[in-house]
Amino acid sequence: MMGNVIFIVARESVEALLVIGILWAWMAHRPDARAGKTWLIGGIVAGFALATALALALVGVATFLGNTARSWFEVAMLAFAAALIVQMVFWMRKNGRTLKRDMETGLDQSVARANWWGVFALAMIAIGREGSETVVFLYGTFLQLNTAGDFTSFFGAAAIGLGLAFVLFWALQVGARFVSWKWFFRITEWMLLFLGSALFLTAMGKLLNKHLAAYDLPGWIYSTVWDTTSILSDSSMLGSLLATLAAYRSQPIGWDVLMLALYWGTVALLFVWQGRQSAARPVTTTA
Amino acid sequence: MIRHLDQFSRPSARKGLVTGFVTALLAALWLGAAQAETAPGDVDATGFTVPLDPDAAIPTYLVELNDGALLPETLIVPAKTRFRIQVRNIGTKPSEFESNQMRLEEVLFMGAEATMMVTPLDPGEYDYFDEFQPGVMGKLTAKEAEQ
C-alpha cells in the first residue's frame, strides 16, 4: 500500500513540478528574477488553496459550484492553462533576444507585469488541478490508518513520492546551469508546448463528453483514426505519462486529431507571425 | 364511487379482481427473481452486457470500484451507440476511474458515485481502470449487433 502512495504522489506531482521547474529555471535568466520568483511562489500558494477547495468538493463536504458548472470550470481552467503556456513560451522567445535592453530601459515594464499574472495563474492551475486529486487520495488513505506504524510509513511514503518528483525539479535547475541556455530554452519550450497540447486535448475531451454529448456530430468525429494500442497503450505506465505530458493517445478519434491540429496550427501560425514581427523589429526600434 | 364498489362486490367481478391480483403478484415475483439474477456485467442472450435499465433509450452500465477491484472487469456494448457508465466507489479507499481511450476521468471518494456519457465507439477494445489502485485493467468491448 505504501508503494502505491509513493507512486501516486510522484506521478500526480510530475506535471505541476515540470511547469514550475521550467518557469523557475527561466526566472534565473531574467534580470528581474526576484520579482518573478515572488509571483511564482504566490501562484504556488494560491494553487494549494485551489487544490483544497476542489478536493473538499470531491470529498463531498463542501459544494463547489454545481456538477455542470464545475465541469465547465474544469474545461475553462485547462484550456486557459494551455493558452497561458503558449503565451508564456512566446513571451520568452521574444524576450530571449531583447530582454536585457528592454528591461534596462524600462520599456517592457507594463508588458512584464501582465505576464507575471500569467506566471501566477499558470502555477496556480498546475498545482490546483493535480493537487486536488493528490489531496483526495492522501486524505482517503489517511482515514484508513490505525496504528502509529501506519502513520509513520504513510508520511514517509508521501514524502518519498514528493521527493521523487522534486528530483525532476532539481534536474531542471541543474540542467539550466550546465546545459547552454540556448539549448535548455529550446528543449524546455517544446516540453511546455507539448504539455499545453495535453491540457488542451483533455479540456476538449471533457467538452465533447460532458457538454456536447446531446448533439449528434458527424460520424467521423467519433471514429477511431488509428490504433497503436499494441505498440504503446495509453493505459500503460509510460503511455499514460506520455498522455499527461504530451497528449499521446493510442486510439484517438477524429475529434482528438482535429483538436490537436487546431492547437498545433495555432502555435505554428504564432511562430510565423512572431518571426515576421522580429524581422521587422530592428528597423523600428533602432531610431 | 359507490357504483364502482357495487360493481366490484359482485361475485364475478370480485373473482376477476382476485385472479388479476394473483397474476400481477406472480408476475412481480418472477420479474423480481429475474432481476435478482442479473448482476453487474452479466451478458444477455445476444452477447451484450445487460444495462441497468434494459428499456432506457440510452443504456447505462454499472461499474463498481472496490479497493482496486473492478466489478465487472469486462463490458460488452453495442458499437456506434452512445451510452453511459455509472461508477460507484464501494471500497474503503478513494479511487479515480479513468480511461484515456474513452476520454473519461473521475475522482471518486469513498461512497461517491458518478455517471459519465461515452461517445459512440467504433468496434474495438477499450481499457478502463482505477488510477489510484493500479493493477487491474478493465476491458470494454464495442461490437456490432449480429443481424
Side-chain angles (χ1 to χ4, degrees):
Chain A
M1 172 192 142
M2 290 311 147
N4 199 27
V5 171
I6 296 174
F7 176 69
I8 304 283
V9 171
R11 208 215 23 229
E12 297 280 338
S13 334
V14 155
E15 189 185 309
L17 279 166
L18 181 71
V19 173
I20 288 162
I22 291 175
L23 291 179
W24 190 267
W26 283 4
M27 296 296 173
H29 281 257
R30 293 184 56 94
D32 52 352
R34 189 183 282 272
K37 285 183 176 171
T38 312
W39 282 93
L40 188 53
I41 292 169
I44 294 169
V45 172
F48 279 113
L50 177 65
T52 312
L54 288 170
L56 287 176
L58 286 170
V59 169
V61 295
T63 44
F64 178 71
L65 308 169
N67 263 341
T68 320
R70 199 167 68 226
S71 82
W72 272 116
F73 176 77
E74 244 183 310
V75 169
M77 190 169 71
L78 285 162
F80 183 53
L84 279 174
I85 283 180
V86 173
Q87 186 257 358
M88 200 69 56
V89 166
F90 280 83
W91 179 49
M92 287 301 293
R93 281 170 61 88
K94 190 177 121 201
N95 283 307
R97 260 175 244 114
T98 61
L99 184 71
K100 282 237 159 70
R101 190 192 60 209
D102 281 358
M103 291 314 294
E104 279 158 12
T105 55
L107 278 176
D108 209 23
Q109 291 287 348
S110 60
V111 182
R113 196 172 171 76
N115 280 294
W116 290 144
W117 276 111
V119 169
F120 177 88
L122 190 54
M124 182 175 94
I125 297 173
I127 298 260
R129 199 179 84 88
E130 297 288 313
S132 66
E133 294 179 1
T134 316
V135 169
V136 170
F137 172 75
L138 289 177
Y139 176 63
T141 312
F142 178 80
L143 291 181
Q144 305 307 315
L145 305 175
N146 293 313
T147 65
D150 281 352
F151 283 93
T152 316
S153 57
F154 171 78
F155 285 110
I160 293 169
L162 201 60
L164 282 177
F166 261 102
V167 168
L168 175 72
F169 179 86
W170 175 79
L172 284 164
Q173 308 315 310
V174 171
R177 198 169 301 166
F178 291 106
V179 178
S180 82
W181 170 241
K182 196 177 105 185
W183 276 102
F184 180 78
F185 181 68
R186 256 187 207 170
I187 294 164
T188 52
E189 73 174 346
W190 280 105
M191 285 166 98
L192 282 188
L193 288 175
F194 271 105
L195 180 63
S197 76
L199 294 172
F200 184 69
L201 188 60
T202 306
M204 294 302 107
K206 283 180 193 292
L207 181 71
L208 179 71
N209 270 36
K210 293 192 174 173
H211 302 289
L212 300 177
Y215 304 99
D216 275 316
L217 301 174
W220 62 267
I221 288 274
Y222 304 114
S223 278
T224 307
V225 182
W226 67 76
D227 187 348
T228 51
T229 310
S230 53
I231 301 163
L232 179 63
S233 164
D234 55 21
S235 309
S236 69
M237 205 202 279
L238 178 64
S240 77
L241 189 68
L242 277 175
T244 310
L245 299 181
Y248 174 71
R249 293 290 185 276
S250 53
Q251 291 182 49
I253 57 169
W255 175 264
D256 298 332
V257 176
L258 180 71
M259 290 302 134
L260 282 178
L262 189 69
Y263 175 85
W264 287 111
T266 309
V267 170
L269 276 179
L270 285 168
F271 257 104
V272 171
W273 176 77
Q274 193 184 34
R276 285 208 188 128
Q277 287 282 102
S278 61
R281 202 181 164 95
V283 184
T284 52
T285 51
T286 43
Chain B
M1 194 65 183
I2 289 166
R3 225 171 63 206
H4 271 262
L5 274 177
D6 221 37
Q7 266 180 2
F8 284 123
S9 58
R10 271 187 289 151
S12 60
R14 204 187 294 156
K15 194 180 162 199
L17 191 71
V18 167
T19 320
F21 181 72
V22 168
T23 316
L25 194 72
L26 282 174
L29 276 172
W30 179 78
L31 268 177
Q35 256 170 13
E37 279 166 21
T38 39
D42 273 2
V43 176
D44 66 11
T46 53
F48 288 99
T49 304
V50 182
L52 281 175
D53 173 9
D55 299 324
I58 298 175
T60 302
Y61 302 94
L62 179 68
V63 176
E64 290 182 316
L65 307 174
N66 191 0
D67 295 340
L70 305 167
L71 313 161
E73 276 176 37
T74 54
L75 288 171
I76 303 164
V77 307
K80 306 265 185 196
T81 311
R82 56 168 60 86
F83 61 93
R84 291 193 186 94
I85 296 185
Q86 186 177 341
V87 186
R88 193 180 289 157
N89 183 1
I90 57 168
T92 59
K93 292 171 189 152
S95 54
E96 181 174 7
F97 182 80
E98 178 143 339
S99 171
N100 280 322
Q101 293 158 5
M102 291 186 276
R103 292 157 294 283
L104 304 174
E105 184 194 26
E106 199 74 49
V107 175
L108 296 149
F109 205 61
M110 291 82 91
E113 188 181 289
T115 305
M116 289 158 263
M117 184 76 96
V118 184
T119 50
L121 298 173
D122 273 4
E125 290 191 331
Y126 303 83
D127 293 328
Y128 58 91
F129 52 96
D130 181 348
E131 213 188 17
F132 283 169
Q133 346 239 344
V136 185
M137 191 67 78
K139 195 156 280 298
L140 180 141
T141 306
K143 64 171 192 179
E144 313 263 11
E146 278 163 42
Q147 298 301 317

